[in-house]
Every structure is written in C-alpha cells, then in structure tokens.
Amino acid sequence: SQTIHQWPATLVQPVGSPLSLECTVEGTSNPNLYWYRQAAGRGLQLLFYSVGIGQISSEVPQNLSASRPQDRQFILSSKKLLLSDSGFYLCAWSPGPGQGPEKLFFGSGTQLSVL
Amino acid sequence: SQKIEQNSEALNIQEGKTATLTCNYTNYSPAYLQWYRQDPGRGPVFLLLIRENEKEKRKERLKVTFDTTLKQSLFHITASQPADSATYLCALGETGNQFYFGTGTSLTVIP
C-alpha cells in the first residue's frame, strides 16, 4: 500500500534562517506531488505541484522554492524565512495520469513557527 | 478573481440531525469536486469525489450534490454523530493537476 512521510512534525525557526522540509512517498511510481500551506483556521493554499522529476509549478510567488530530486521525493525550501511563513505545511500526492482517481493523499503535516 | 467559499466557518447541530455544508465557487471550471475531512493537527482525508456530469453521489451517511449552473456543491451528513465533528473542506479539480481548496467549515455535533 502507499504511504507518505513528512518531517519534521514541528519546527521553530528564527526569522532569516533557512528551511528544508522533506516529503517521501512509498508504494507508487510517478505520483503528482504537492505542497500546501494552511494558516491558522484557514483553508489550504496550494504552493507548488510537480508532475515529474525536476518539473515544478509554482502557484504563489514568495520566498519559498520546491525541488523534486527523485520520483517520490519532494522538498520545500527557503533561504531566509519571514514571519509570514509560519503555518501548517502539508505535503500530498495524487496518482499520475491513468493510475487512479483524482484525489489527494496527505502527509501528517509540519507546524512551522517563525519567531 | 477566483474564489471557493464555504457557507460558514462553524456549524453546530444536534446529534441525529442532518448536517448540510455548502461550497460555492467563482471563476473556476472544475472537472470534478471533492470533499475532505480534517481533524485538528492532521492532514485532510478524502471523502467523496463528484464529476461535473454527475448530479449526486452517496457513500454510507454522506451525500454530495454538484450544480455547475449554480456553481455550488452541497455536502450532507445524515444521522450525524459526535464522531463526525471535524472541519470539512471542499476542493476543485480542473483539467490540470491542481486541486484548489475552500476555506473549510468546522462542524460540531452536540450529543
């Protein structure tokens, strides 16, 4: 069966420090991968999605970036965090074309606090 | 601008009643619409998908309707239970690979 791992679960970082959040998926190949951010009490904002290795689409211009160095690995990064980067970050995957129904499977999330 | 709005931030209902949640959207052309459940501090969990050519979908105590003319989906939980208390999110999928989420409705079922 497919599983998604996301870490760390919580992170406290000072303003101006770098960020690296990692997400890996097991049990499937060529998944679509996503990073979402959720502010307190709000809906999910799509940040990045990827349909293949090295293919990244950005939805919101900001100081975050994403990379997909391997088929089932998705990394969210920042060189210098801002206070406004605080939030609940969720990685998700969906089956690739023709591999299954269109739905998202989410990781357990990372609660990021920038102080 | 594009918007996905859910009817209210919080909804309280009595156990055993039917909960009805609303999802309205503007400036999207979704190929399908989904509903997810999210518990505090957890990632959302997929519940139901309904396509643009479908009017209604059911799964156990859950029912979803989709009206592309009104640009609205209704999500019903019949015979609600305290365990149904959670935040419910609607999401739109267009012909690409993006999924866009609504603001969410927090449902509390009172025993």
Side-chain angles (χ1 to χ4, degrees):
Chain A
S1 64
Q2 301 93 354
T3 56
I4 178 169
H5 302 279
Q6 182 182 347
W7 67 94
T10 58
L11 191 59
V12 180
Q13 292 284 97
V15 170
S17 64
L19 173 73
S20 180
L21 302 181
E22 189 166 341
C23 172
T24 59
V25 180
E26 296 177 356
T28 188
S29 59
N30 196 31
N32 298 322
L33 296 172
Y34 305 81
W35 280 110
Y36 284 88
R37 177 170 62 199
Q38 187 173 34
R42 303 290 297 276
L44 277 67
Q45 179 187 32
L46 178 61
L47 301 176
F48 300 95
Y49 69 95
S50 171
V51 300
I53 296 174
Q55 300 178 62
I56 310 293
S57 296
S58 174
E59 286 288 309
V60 182
Q62 58 211 331
N63 70 320
L64 299 172
S65 62
S67 61
R68 183 171 177 173
Q70 300 180 44
D71 181 46
R72 290 167 291 172
Q73 183 185 28
F74 207 22
I75 298 172
L76 182 70
S77 304
S78 174
K79 293 182 179 178
K80 288 186 178 182
L81 284 168
L82 306 173
L83 286 174
S84 57
D85 292 323
S86 294
F88 190 47
Y89 287 81
L90 288 156
C91 180
W93 74 274
S94 70
Q99 293 188 27
E102 304 89 338
K103 60 182 179 180
L104 289 168
F105 300 88
F106 283 88
S108 53
T110 296
Q111 185 64 52
L112 172 66
S113 298
V114 183
L115 305 177
Chain B
S1 62
Q2 295 178 313
K3 289 183 183 178
I4 305 171
E5 295 178 313
Q6 297 187 234
N7 59 325
S8 59
E9 289 192 3
L11 181 64
N12 299 325
I13 64 165
Q14 208 66 36
E15 182 177 4
K17 300 293 185 183
T18 296
T20 298
L21 285 65
T22 304
C23 177
N24 295 288
Y25 60 92
T26 55
N27 294 323
Y28 283 97
S29 299
Y32 49 86
L33 187 146
Q34 306 167 333
W35 285 87
Y36 290 78
R37 169 183 171 140
Q38 186 176 23
D39 291 290
R42 308 289 295 273
V45 175
F46 172 83
L47 296 174
L48 280 169
L49 178 151
I50 186 165
R51 300 188 185 280
E52 60 178 333
N53 60 349
E54 297 175 317
K55 295 294 185 185
E56 182 178 300
K57 212 61 161 312
R58 292 176 184 260
K59 179 183 176 183
E60 298 173 353
R61 295 184 295 111
L62 308 180
K63 184 178 86 170
V64 174
T65 63
F66 192 14
D67 190 326
T68 55
T69 300
L70 291 178
K71 299 187 185 299
Q72 180 182 79
S73 174
L74 298 179
F75 177 76
H76 307 273
I77 305 175
T78 59
S80 59
Q81 305 166 0
D84 295 326
S85 299
T87 295
Y88 292 86
L89 299 158
C90 67
L92 303 183
E94 295 185 317
T95 53
N97 300 294
Q98 304 95 312
F99 297 73
Y100 298 100
F101 282 80
T103 48
T105 297
S106 175
L107 174 67
T108 301
V109 181
I110 303 165

